[in-house]
Amino acid sequence: MEEIILYLLELLIFPGIIFISTLALFFQWFDRKIHARFQNRVGPLVVGPKGLLQPLADFIKLLSKEDITPISADRAGFILAPIITLTLAVISAFFIPVMSYSGILSFSGDVIVVLFFSTILTFMIAFAGYSATNRFSTIGAARTALQFISYEIPYILSVIAVVIISRSLQISEIVASQVSTYGLPYVVILPIAFVLYLVSLLAKLEKIPFDIPEAETEIVGGWSAEYSGKKLAFFKLAIDIKMVVGAGLAVAFFLGGPYGPVIPGIEWLCYTFWFIVKTLVLVFILSNLRTLFARYRIDQMVKIFWDYITPLAFLQLILAEGFVIYLM
Amino acid sequence: MTEKVVKERYTIPVGPQHPALKEPIFFKFIVDGEQIIEAIPRIGYVHRGIEKLTEERTYLKDAYLVERVCGICSGVHQATFVNAVESLIDKPTPERADYLRVLVLELERIHSHYLWLGVAAHEIGFDTLFMYTWRDREVVMDLLELITGNRVNYGMNIIGGVRRDINDEIIHKTLKGIDYLEERAKYYLDVAADEKTILARTVGRGILTREQALKLGAVGPTARASNLAMDVRKDDPYLVYDEIPFELVTADTNDVFGRIVVRVKELFESYNIIRWVLENIPSGPTFIRTSPKVPAGEAIAKSEAPRGELFYYVRSTGTLKPYRVKIRTPTLANILAVAEMLKGEYIADIPIVFAGIDPCISCMDRAFFVDVEKDKKWVWSEDELKLYSRKWYKTHEKEVIQRWKR
Amino acid sequence: MKIPGVMEKELLKSVVSKPATVNYPFEESPPPAEYRGMPELDIGKCLGCSACALNCPSDAIEMVPDERTRTKKAPKFLYARCITCGICSFVCPRSAITMTLKPIPPTYDKDELVGRA
């Protein structure tokens, strides 16, 4: 009985739903602050100390706005899309190792389950744009689908390179093999995979230079044009949690998980601390890339990914295979 | 403007409210997938009737009304109007006034081109360049506030000269500000030429060949990027421009990238003009007193606004108020060119191609008549409008009197 | 092959330097001495000649009865219409109107937007 209560607490509070949502909002604050500092301005400042509560204030404001469903929209799809997106995003965040080797959920083959959930999340965005039956939303949904078939292959291939080296499809075993078997984080052994993972993550999270489906100046917000009120709040929170999942997976696959020097006795706190530090480094790099470029056009983006990134991903696979054979 | 809408294709409306447009204008795009087949513009959403309002105010009040036609190029509107009225009055304006006018006009050109660089960068999603150029533009705004008293709508001119004068401290601050801005403009020229993402979005987009530009009547940097050497400051010099040595900047790439290069290089020419003006400004009075009644006659004045050729026509019958003022702004001449440029482009290129002509829709608006049932469009002359209004009031006389009595 | 990302050095310089924005209104940002704010009248110099009211481009000056001037009239400013162009102070033959440094305030109180000497 006690175990069930402990498990429920873990699921709900730490490192469960509340912890993940807080982390998502904190990452949004960090990203906005760094983005502003790169542009020589201040960023969020007033709400809370140094503007820390600004993303929470935005979330609450959106929850209280009027929720309009257009008459010609497909009601079922329009309402289901944000709910499914938020649910799947939170569930895939349960797999991330925060306090120890494994997350809350862990079983053999969970790498494939997490990748599958992230695929459905992208599909949900296209579905949302399609259900809104607005000209601009339809164009946004078409662009999401086109972008999806370009970045998904390098994303999965870079994860498979890691899987080949660590010989396991379970996230906890991948982290364990970095700590005990090799003693090195995989970013040293597979640097190309790390770079490709980051670039595909930029496209997956729809950040500049690949925020084509949601281009504000061209198609008025794309798939999110018709959303308002609670549904938009859920979508925005789901996007932030996607960032947590993407960065958390990168830390688990390439940077050795939440491991680092610890103080004995309160290991779980130190591991959480190292997890947050490493993911913040990743968020800093992503923010830097977001500030540095202009937005590409959809055909240029497809050309870049199919001409340069996918061949590099295959090259990395061959190198990883060669490394494993060399070790044998 | 043909209106043959092909019903099977997809139509995308852009405007009147759209994040890509800073002002309301309507475009109907007929697209096939992501490619545009035809672009049909429709204007008139922000027509304020300024030309009619000028007929009810005296000349001095008109100079301050006409300044508010546009916010970005307000100085050049006022200077051109005052130029037209002063050519009806016979006394020449003092030279120091002309030099000060050139100083304010060139500072305004700098501020307008920096603003355009930021807006064009925002349209292609490059917010960092937008923030940097607008931060540097604050230097120009502070200089203009020092010289004229306000950041936009300067109010520097009166009929017969300028209102304010500059002293040595202002000259020193202006030169320091110009040096800082020149460094930044060099950096932006390097960035625009080398940054691969900007080149990917602007090279080869919005092609307007030289023959097309001549046929459709393009003006300003839009025409100069298509290798047409047209500039009012060289072809028909006004104020002091026949004495100032500067170069005409053209580019021959015919695309949006050429327009970026032309505008950034024009910044360097403006810096040199300002330095020459501040060195060679003569001493003397800054204005002369004129009588409020302007002698009868008609006059035109042309000048080079930051967007192209600006044209004013003033007709007076010897009274306190003008009989007719007609304004032709450069964006009106470029709209047909932009409708031609957009054919064959992708939807993703609409914002940057449209922003490439530096549109100032509030300057541009015109009124015209559309009869939706009979599918007719027409424009009336002054006599036809008077005839129609007299007929309308005769038939609706009783109704109008009722409304007044209430 | 050119790698995109030319502005990286500038970005890193901006992170460590002070932001270019001023936290107005919590920090001061005074206008220069040449700024044109609300016009104010010095009743001792006023003649009541109505030059300011006749030349105001937005008709923001009304002449109202006042005992202290030679023609027994004085200007009343309607700041809601004022565009702070400064023509009133330019055409005044006795330089009785000065443009102060105060901007026209946003206010709920209509009486703040009417000025009399």
Side-chain angles (χ1 to χ4, degrees):
Chain A
M1 184 62 194
E2 230 182 54
E3 268 209 14
I4 297 184
I5 294 188
L6 208 61
Y7 190 61
L8 264 180
L9 272 181
E10 214 181 70
L11 201 66
L12 281 178
I13 301 186
F14 182 83
I17 298 180
I18 298 211
F19 176 70
I20 290 173
S21 312
T22 317
L23 206 62
L25 294 176
F26 176 66
F27 282 177
Q28 192 195 103
W29 173 84
F30 189 71
D31 174 55
R32 278 164 74 165
K33 214 52 179 167
I34 294 289
H35 187 64
R37 277 297 154 89
F38 276 130
Q39 294 173 347
N40 214 350
R41 23 175 209 110
V42 181
L45 188 63
V46 178
V47 185
K50 298 259 189 212
L52 270 169
L53 297 178
Q54 180 76 44
L56 181 66
D58 289 339
F59 182 67
I60 295 179
K61 176 208 78 164
L62 271 180
L63 282 179
S64 65
K65 292 266 182 192
E66 185 185 356
D67 203 342
I68 306 176
T69 312
I71 291 183
S72 61
D74 180 13
R75 279 197 78 92
F78 196 75
I79 299 180
L80 267 182
I83 301 177
I84 297 183
T85 314
L86 185 59
T87 317
L88 283 181
V90 169
I91 292 181
S92 47
F94 285 161
F95 289 96
I96 311 256
V98 176
M99 270 198 320
S100 61
Y101 280 118
S102 62
I104 303 176
L105 301 171
S106 174
F107 47 84
S108 173
D110 57 9
V111 168
I112 298 192
V113 172
V114 172
L115 291 178
F116 174 63
F117 280 163
S118 69
T119 309
I120 297 192
L121 284 175
T122 316
F123 175 70
M124 273 296 131
I125 289 181
F127 185 58
Y130 171 73
S131 319
T133 62
N134 181 2
R135 272 172 233 267
F136 298 117
S137 306
T138 318
I139 297 182
R143 285 182 182 184
T144 310
L146 195 53
Q147 194 167 305
F148 169 72
I149 61 176
S150 312
Y151 68 73
E152 192 71 7
I153 296 184
Y155 185 72
I156 296 185
L157 284 181
S158 51
V159 172
I160 292 194
V162 167
V163 163
I164 287 181
I165 290 196
S166 62
R167 299 180 210 224
S168 153
L169 272 176
Q170 193 169 350
I171 299 184
S172 50
E173 285 187 19
I174 295 179
V175 176
S177 71
Q178 281 181 69
V179 175
S180 21
T181 322
Y182 290 99
L184 281 176
Y186 284 151
V187 70
V188 176
I189 310 177
L190 300 170
I192 304 181
F194 183 58
V195 170
L196 294 180
Y197 183 89
L198 272 185
V199 174
S200 312
L201 191 63
L202 265 183
K204 186 187 259 304
L205 295 174
E206 286 177 11
K207 300 212 177 271
I208 296 178
F210 305 120
D211 80 335
I212 303 160
E214 205 187 336
E216 181 216 335
T217 51
E218 298 164 17
I219 47 175
V220 199
W223 53 266
S224 69
E226 291 285 352
Y227 278 95
S228 58
K230 296 189 195 58
K231 302 194 189 86
L232 189 61
F234 283 172
F235 255 125
K236 285 201 184 282
L237 189 61
I239 291 175
D240 288 333
I241 295 181
K242 259 201 327 187
M243 160 95 107
V244 171
V245 171
L249 281 182
V251 164
F253 289 153
F254 294 102
L255 292 179
Y259 276 90
V262 284
I263 305 172
I266 40 166
E267 272 104 9
W268 58 275
L269 196 61
C270 294
Y271 289 146
T272 317
F273 169 73
W274 283 116
F275 173 75
I276 294 184
V277 164
K278 289 184 188 178
T279 38
L280 278 183
V281 167
L282 271 174
V283 170
F284 183 85
I285 297 179
L286 284 176
S287 229
N288 193 350
L289 291 176
R290 167 160 99 104
T291 319
L292 193 54
F293 302 116
R295 185 188 303 133
Y296 274 115
R297 221 174 44 228
I298 185 71
D299 56 318
Q300 289 165 344
M301 181 259 180
V302 170
K303 186 172 186 305
I304 287 179
F305 269 84
W306 281 99
D307 274 358
Y308 300 114
I309 310 269
T310 311
L312 274 178
F314 279 112
L315 176 68
Q316 175 66 90
L317 261 189
I318 298 175
L319 286 179
E321 191 67 33
F323 181 76
V324 164
I325 294 178
Y326 165 76
L327 272 192
M328 272 216 251
Chain B
M1 284 198 310
T2 58
E3 185 93 45
K4 284 198 284 217
V5 175
V6 182
K7 296 278 188 228
E8 302 95 47
R9 303 273 167 83
Y10 210 48
T11 2
I12 298 218
V14 169
Q17 290 130 331
H18 189 93
L21 310 170
K22 300 293 168 243
E23 285 147 320
I25 182 174
F26 178 69
F27 274 102
K28 182 150 66 167
F29 288 108
I30 303 174
V31 300
D32 186 14
E34 279 247 351
Q35 250 198 342
I36 300 176
I37 315 273
E38 204 174 333
I40 303 171
R42 195 159 277 161
I43 60 176
Y45 288 92
V46 76
H47 179 69
R48 292 158 288 166
I50 290 190
E51 288 179 3
K52 173 68 185 168
L53 284 174
T54 56
E55 295 173 16
E56 324 223 327
R57 288 163 162 73
T58 60
Y59 283 95
L60 183 61
K61 290 192 196 183
D62 273 343
Y64 283 79
L65 171 66
V66 136
E67 189 182 45
R68 280 145 176 87
V69 167
C70 175
I72 309 175
C73 42
S74 60
V76 75
H77 275 275
Q78 197 181 50
T80 321
F81 175 74
V82 163
N83 245 347
V85 173
E86 281 168 2
S87 48
L88 289 174
I89 305 175
D90 240 335
K91 290 190 267 180
T93 50
E95 268 206 62
R96 192 175 170 90
D98 282 343
Y99 275 76
L100 284 172
R101 280 181 189 165
V102 169
L103 175 67
V104 171
L105 286 181
E106 289 303 318
L107 279 174
E108 185 186 57
R109 189 182 312 270
I110 294 176
H111 124 76
S112 171
H113 283 332
Y114 269 109
L115 186 146
W116 179 82
L117 256 182
V119 168
H122 176 68
E123 307 282 8
I124 59 176
F126 202 174
D127 276 338
T128 315
L129 193 60
F130 169 58
M131 298 289 173
Y132 282 171
T133 41
W134 280 47
R135 176 198 65 186
D136 296 329
R137 183 176 156 258
E138 288 299 313
V139 173
V140 182
M141 304 302 264
D142 285 340
L143 284 177
L144 279 166
E145 197 177 15
L146 209 55
I147 298 178
T148 65
N150 203 358
R151 285 158 56 106
V152 290
N153 295 342
Y154 315 122
M156 194 60 170
N157 299 299
I158 55 167
I159 317 279
V162 295
R163 270 202 305 173
R164 292 198 180 207
D165 207 350
I166 59 175
N167 52 22
D168 280 334
E169 187 194 332
I170 295 182
I171 294 182
H172 176 71
K173 281 192 186 158
T174 311
L175 288 173
K176 241 182 18 171
I178 298 286
D179 286 336
Y180 169 75
L181 284 174
E182 187 160 16
E183 245 183 68
R184 299 301 302 172
K186 283 202 187 106
Y187 177 69
Y188 293 134
L189 195 57
D190 286 333
V191 163
D194 277 342
E195 171 69 35
K196 208 150 168 260
T197 43
I198 295 185
L199 289 177
R201 286 306 297 272
T202 54
V203 170
R205 303 281 125 224
I207 303 274
L208 188 73
T209 62
R210 196 168 188 273
E211 293 77 32
Q212 279 174 328
L214 268 178
K215 197 171 69 147
L216 295 167
V219 291
T222 315
R224 290 204 276 280
S226 304
N227 213 2
L228 271 178
M230 319 174 39
D231 190 335
V232 181
R233 298 177 285 175
K234 288 278 190 201
D235 302 332
D236 191 6
Y238 55 101
L239 294 178
V240 196
Y241 281 109
D242 43 2
E243 296 170 27
I244 305 182
F246 71 99
E247 281 178 26
L248 194 63
V249 179
T250 55
D252 57 355
T253 46
N254 296 349
D255 55 11
V256 177
F257 183 65
R259 287 166 208 140
I260 296 182
V261 167
V262 162
R263 286 189 175 102
V264 176
K265 285 194 179 159
E266 272 186 10
L267 282 176
F268 291 112
E269 297 302 321
S270 289
Y271 299 144
N272 291 335
I273 294 178
I274 292 182
R275 288 194 185 111
W276 190 94
V277 161
L278 287 177
E279 254 180 84
N280 297 317
I281 188 167
S283 50
T286 49
F287 66 94
I288 51 170
R289 293 216 168 264
T290 59
S291 111
K293 280 204 187 159
V294 169
E298 347 176 272
I300 63 172
K302 287 195 293 184
S303 64
E304 181 78 10
R307 283 157 183 77
E309 173 192 334
L310 176 65
F311 173 86
Y312 265 78
Y313 164 83
V314 176
R315 179 154 157 213
S316 126
T317 48
T319 57
L320 286 171
K321 305 184 179 168
Y323 182 74
R324 175 84 168 104
V325 171
K326 165 116 181 114
I327 311 174
R328 203 285 325 249
T329 49
T331 310
L332 188 63
N334 283 334
I335 279 287
L336 290 177
V338 99
E340 183 68 31
M341 268 188 241
L342 282 168
K343 287 190 196 168
E345 297 292 337
Y346 294 112
I347 294 182
D349 290 322
I350 296 175
I352 185 62
V353 168
F354 183 65
I357 63 163
D358 205 354
C360 185
I361 307 297
S362 50
C363 288
M364 170 194 87
D365 258 343
R366 287 279 167 274
F368 60 94
F369 300 88
V370 176
D371 191 344
V372 187
E373 290 146 28
K374 300 194 201 137
D375 201 19
K376 274 202 309 172
K377 295 192 285 283
W378 69 97
V379 173
W380 265 332
S381 71
E382 179 192 3
D383 299 321
E384 286 169 337
L385 188 60
K386 282 193 186 152
L387 208 62
Y388 177 77
S389 76
R390 278 189 217 126
K391 263 197 279 187
W392 191 90
Y393 272 104
K394 254 206 198 65
T395 50
H396 293 96
E397 196 174 329
K398 292 210 167 65
E399 201 182 295
V400 170
I401 296 181
Q402 285 280 11
R403 251 188 265 165
W404 281 356
K405 283 204 177 133
R406 261 191 268 146
Chain C
M1 190 183 85
K2 286 191 221 173
I3 305 181
V6 169
M7 293 187 73
E8 180 65 30
K9 255 201 286 192
E10 184 84 16
L11 290 183
L12 291 174
K13 239 192 336 179
S14 300
V15 175
V16 295
S17 55
K18 196 167 158 314
T21 49
V22 168
N23 198 3
Y24 183 81
F26 302 109
E27 287 174 25
E28 291 286 320
S29 176
E34 287 86 351
Y35 179 68
R36 294 197 299 261
M38 291 169 34
E40 254 181 24
L41 178 70
D42 182 357
I43 196 69
K45 299 188 190 165
C46 180
L47 292 174
C49 65
S50 311
C52 51
L54 285 174
N55 277 309
C56 174
S58 50
D59 296 330
I61 305 184
E62 279 178 7
M63 301 305 285
V64 293
D66 191 313
E67 282 303 309
R68 295 171 284 180
T69 60
R70 198 186 298 178
T71 57
K72 306 296 179 216
K73 281 196 290 197
K76 175 173 98 161
F77 297 100
L78 302 168
Y79 291 121
R81 293 188 193 171
C82 176
I83 58 176
T84 65
C85 61
I87 286 282
C88 50
S89 88
F90 183 71
V91 300
C92 178
R94 293 281 178 273
S95 304
I97 302 184
T98 46
M99 308 297 283
T100 58
L101 287 181
K102 289 181 294 192
I104 300 181
T107 171
Y108 289 113
D109 185 8
K110 260 203 260 187
D111 294 324
E112 249 186 86
L113 289 177
V114 173
R116 295 211 48 180

